């Protein structure tokens, strides 16, 4: 009998529990420290790094506050003055580094809608108009760039939404399964791009869209990544594409947003599954529930921007004529739904 087994036999159950707890804490703490360090270094909180994603996030965060205000039933004329100031500062910083590209152009559009709304309410917006013109070089340039961008408030009619209602959505949703038998056909870059484009409609915190997708076609590298993930043994090799879904931590700018990457990235991943399902492909989400060593191994196996947080992998493939899926029975509704 090994010494470990002997000690185990001679000690009371309470000690076993204590040992297990201490062991778990010792495993957990360095992983929390790893995540903490990564958030500290690469999230938008870290202003000292001048991250491109952080500059963009500050612009989106501010313009979206104005957009939200414009979408209320009765926006208050002159609302959000402080946000407008913050937005102008963020735009100035962003444009100085990256030029007039989105989201700065979108912000311009939103600000012109804000100006139009306030002018219609009888407020004098000369000062803000002048500042926009100054920022863009001239009033004409500012107007032209704003017209090419989309942003602001979108009028919607209930009848339009009614017309687009999908009767069979519950069936469609219920007919998605995790697929662990692929036919081995191609999932082309165009297929992946089409699915990602659909999934981009996923909501995200202040519309920051932190998700990123790294797509791999069948190759030794794809197999290597699947081996590091470890959950697709026996079926991953017939996948037509492997996706690594990440979130750019630079998009998160407050301590309260420390878990937002997993929320927004998880929601996006669900959309992506449904998008592929709607296109006739099968998917299997593959967990990235890993400790720091695996995260480091992945970063040496693929070129992953250092500030991106891995959310999950996804195997995508063509469907055989007939195949089995796991039943994956769902819990009773009453187990998870509480009316208060
Ligand atoms: C984040 C996440 C990670 C998952 N990881 C794996 C995995 O590594 N390997 C696997 O075969 N299935 C994996 N799955 C699939 C689940 O087992 C599956 O979604 C669940 O049993 C429900 O079944 P359904 O997807 O067919 O409805 C994962 C699912 C999610 C959402």
């Amino acid at each position: 009998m090994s010494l470990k087994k002997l000690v185990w036999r001679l000690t009371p159950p309470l000690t076993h529990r204590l040992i297990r707890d201490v062991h778990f804490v010792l495993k957990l703490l360095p992983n929390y420290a790893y995540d903490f360090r990564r958030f500290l270094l690469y999230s938008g909180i870290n202003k000292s790094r001048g991250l491109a994603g952080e500059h963009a996030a500050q612009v989106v965060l501010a313009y979206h506050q104005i957009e939200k205000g414009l979408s209320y039933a009765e926006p208050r004329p002159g609302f959000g003055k402080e946000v407008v100031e913050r937005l102008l500062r963020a735009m100035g910083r962003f444009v100085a580094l990256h030029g007039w590209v989105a989201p700065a152009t979108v912000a311009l559009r939103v600000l012109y809608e804000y100006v139009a709304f306030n002018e219609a309410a009888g407020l004098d917006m000369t000062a803000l108009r002048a500042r926009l013109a100054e920022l863009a070089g001239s009033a004409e340039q500012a107007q032209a760039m704003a017209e090419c961008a989309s942003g602001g408030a979108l009028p919607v009619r209930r009848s339009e939404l009614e017309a687009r209602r999908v009767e069979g959505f519950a069936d469609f949703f219920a007919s998605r399964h995790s697929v662990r038998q692929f036919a081995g056909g191609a999932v082309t870059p165009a297929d992946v791009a089409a699915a990602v484009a659909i999934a981009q409609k996923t909501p995200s915190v202040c519309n920051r869209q932190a998700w990123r997708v790294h797509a791999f076609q069948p190759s030794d590298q794809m197999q290597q990544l699947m081996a590091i993930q470890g959950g697709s043994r026996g079926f991953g090799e017939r996948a037509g594409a492997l996706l690594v879904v990440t979130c750019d931590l630079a998009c998160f700018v407050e301590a309260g947003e420390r878990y937002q990457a997993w929320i927004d990235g998880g929601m996006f991943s669900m959309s992506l599954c449904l998008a592929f399902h709607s296109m006739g492909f099968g998917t299997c989400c593959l967990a990235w529930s890993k400790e720091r060593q695996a995260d480091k191994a992945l970063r040496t196996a693929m070129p992953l921007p250092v500030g991106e947080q891995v959310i999950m992998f996804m195997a995508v493939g063509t469907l055989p004529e007939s195949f089995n899926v796991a039943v994956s029975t769902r819990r009773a509704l009453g187990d998870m739904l509480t009316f208060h």
Side-chain angles (χ1 to χ4, degrees), residues 43-51 54-55 58 93 253:
S43 74
I45 288 178
N46 187 349
K47 305 271 187 285
S48 62
R49 287 176 65 90
L51 301 163
E54 190 263 330
H55 288 125
Q58 295 290 359
R93 279 195 303 271
V253 294

Side-chain angles (χ1 to χ4, degrees), residues 2 8 17 28 48 91 115 132-133 160 194 221 265 267 269 320 340:
S2 71
W8 207 249
R17 221 180 116 185
L28 203 54
S48 62
M91 285 167 77
V115 165
L132 295 181
E160 290 167 11
Q221 190 183 25
M267 290 183 64
S269 301
H340 294 275

Side-chain angles (χ1 to χ4, degrees), residues 191-274:
D191 296 327
V192 172
V196 170
I198 294 172
Q200 275 185 293
K201 187 66 180 79
T202 304
S204 61
V205 63
C206 290
N207 197 27
R208 270 174 271 167
Q209 305 164 64
W211 46 70
R212 308 286 181 262
V213 180
H214 299 268
F216 296 86
Q217 296 280 292
S219 61
D220 288 349
Q221 190 183 25
M222 182 175 115
Q223 292 309 325
Q224 189 195 355
L225 297 180
M226 283 185 166
I228 292 174
Q229 191 276 333
S232 66
R233 231 167 287 136
F235 66 90
E237 55 282 358
R238 287 183 68 76
L242 175 71
L243 309 181
V244 178
V245 179
T246 68
C247 273
D248 182 359
L249 292 178
C251 294
F252 305 114
V253 294
E254 287 165 12
E257 292 180 338
R258 65 198 181 282
Y259 299 121
Q260 201 62 41
W262 287 277
I263 299 167
D264 290 6
M267 290 183 64
F268 173 79
S269 301
M270 182 71 239
S271 301
L272 201 51
C273 277
L274 291 174

Side-chain angles (χ1 to χ4, degrees), residues 265-300:
M267 290 183 64
F268 173 79
S269 301
M270 182 71 239
S271 301
L272 201 51
C273 277
L274 291 174
F276 279 117
H277 183 44
S278 77
M279 293 164 62
F281 292 104
T283 58
C284 188
C285 295
L286 301 170
W288 192 248
S289 310
K290 299 289 185 195
E291 296 188 29
R292 61 199 191 288
Q293 295 87 348
D295 195 69
K296 288 178 188 166
L298 180 65
R299 288 171 195 281
T300 57

Side-chain angles (χ1 to χ4, degrees), residues 173-174 176-180 229-233 235 269-270 273 283-289 311-313 325-330:
F173 201 79
R176 183 212 54 83
H177 302 279
S178 289
V179 176
R180 298 181 183 88
Q229 191 276 333
S232 66
R233 231 167 287 136
F235 66 90
S269 301
M270 182 71 239
C273 277
T283 58
C284 188
C285 295
L286 301 170
W288 192 248
S289 310
I311 306 300
M312 67 171 75
F313 285 24
V325 296
V327 174
S328 296
T329 306
R330 296 315 201 247

